[in-house]
Amino acid sequence: MPQQPPSPAAVAEDLAQIRRLRLASFVEATTLLVLVFVAVPLKHLFDYPLAVRLMGPVHGAAFIAYGWSLVTTVSGGGWSRSEIARLGFAAFLPFGGFLNAGLLRRKRAALAGARP
Amino acid sequence: MPYLWLKAVHVAAVLLFIGGLFAQTFALASAQGSAPLARWDRLATVPAMLIVWVTGATIAVEAGWFTSPWLWAKLVFVLALTGLHGIQSGKLRRLRGGDLPSSPNSTLRVAGFIATAVASIAVLVVAKPF
């Protein structure tokens, strides 16, 4: 049986979900950079632990939000295992979240092109 | 924030989150994913889930509970429920896009899992058995 093309509403929802994942990825990557390159040196080099105490929980929340957004996005279907693994690993690497931007832009373009 | 206020916010957020999770589970069995539920999810359930994590982590750090095994057991269930919420959000999007609804059996299995996880979390955090 030929597969039905997705409805415009479904495509719009998928595009909005990828937009949310991009935002979550950007916030996660930015908070990780601030934690690793600003807060941790401030604590160990300048004996100023407050920055880590603040940024630790902020990055933790951003990490959970990104993980949840990733699960929500890929559960909607249309993602290969390697794409999912790449998006998952990115959360653990400094700058990793920024590297997601290209992949997510391509997915958005492909999805927008499939709009009936 | 004083411990009792943090705990009150945490418990309120947990109740909202679990309510939203059950609503998702049963909406997945309906013929088409409920549009008001998707909105409720964004406005209430997802923020509640984030508040659960932030307040829970703050309480655990303040009380020094990260060395307690019961907390790690509880975290496994919390992580599973968070993941389940993400999976169900994706499935609801597919359902609204024209996918078939879940079978009654799988719906009851998932609801049973949520109930078991919530009961386990309550016992672990209140009795702190180990």
Side-chain angles (χ1 to χ4, degrees):
Chain A
M1 200 166 77
Q3 205 180 354
Q4 277 198 331
S7 69
V11 173
E13 273 204 70
D14 282 344
L15 287 171
Q17 184 54 44
I18 293 179
R19 210 165 43 236
R20 283 193 282 273
L21 180 61
R22 269 176 66 181
L23 175 67
S25 172
F26 179 78
V27 173
E28 194 275 338
T30 307
T31 55
L32 180 59
L33 285 186
V34 174
L35 182 66
V36 171
F37 293 113
V38 179
V40 172
L42 275 176
K43 179 180 176 178
H44 292 290
L45 298 178
F46 299 97
D47 201 23
Y48 187 74
L50 185 65
V52 167
R53 282 201 64 189
L54 280 176
M55 277 316 293
V58 170
H59 175 65
F63 181 83
I64 296 292
Y66 174 72
W68 175 86
S69 297
L70 178 57
V71 172
T72 303
T73 307
V74 301
S75 297
W79 296 78
S80 70
R81 278 185 189 180
S82 66
E83 286 171 339
I84 296 169
R86 183 183 152 176
L87 290 168
F89 279 127
F92 297 93
L93 304 171
F95 300 102
F98 298 115
L99 298 177
N100 286 341
L103 170 62
L104 295 178
R105 200 181 311 116
R106 283 195 297 280
K107 291 298 277 193
R108 268 178 62 81
L111 206 56
R115 209 194 278 257
Chain B
M1 207 187 290
Y3 168 70
L4 282 180
W5 280 99
L6 263 179
K7 191 160 86 168
V9 173
H10 182 73
V11 171
V14 167
L15 293 174
L16 264 177
F17 173 55
I18 299 302
L21 202 55
F22 270 119
Q24 272 190 331
T25 305
F26 290 107
L28 271 170
S30 70
Q32 46 196 325
S34 153
L37 177 68
R39 196 142 176 249
W40 179 252
D41 214 58
R42 264 200 312 279
L43 293 175
T45 312
V46 173
M49 181 187 74
L50 283 175
I51 292 171
V52 165
W53 275 95
V54 172
T55 53
T58 309
I59 293 170
V61 168
E62 298 280 320
W65 282 332
F66 273 106
T67 50
S68 310
W70 66 264
L71 180 68
W72 288 98
K74 177 178 182 271
L75 273 174
V76 170
F77 287 113
V78 178
L79 200 62
L81 292 177
T82 304
L84 177 66
H85 181 266
I87 291 168
Q88 292 193 144
S89 296
K91 280 187 168 179
L92 277 167
R93 221 168 53 250
R94 270 175 26 202
L95 185 63
R96 287 191 292 274
D99 252 27
L100 293 174
S102 307
S103 71
N105 276 346
S106 89
T107 302
L108 289 177
R109 262 200 307 275
V110 175
F113 167 74
I114 298 171
T116 309
V118 171
S120 307
I121 286 171
V123 169
L124 285 165
V125 73
V126 175
K128 299 181 179 55
F130 43 81

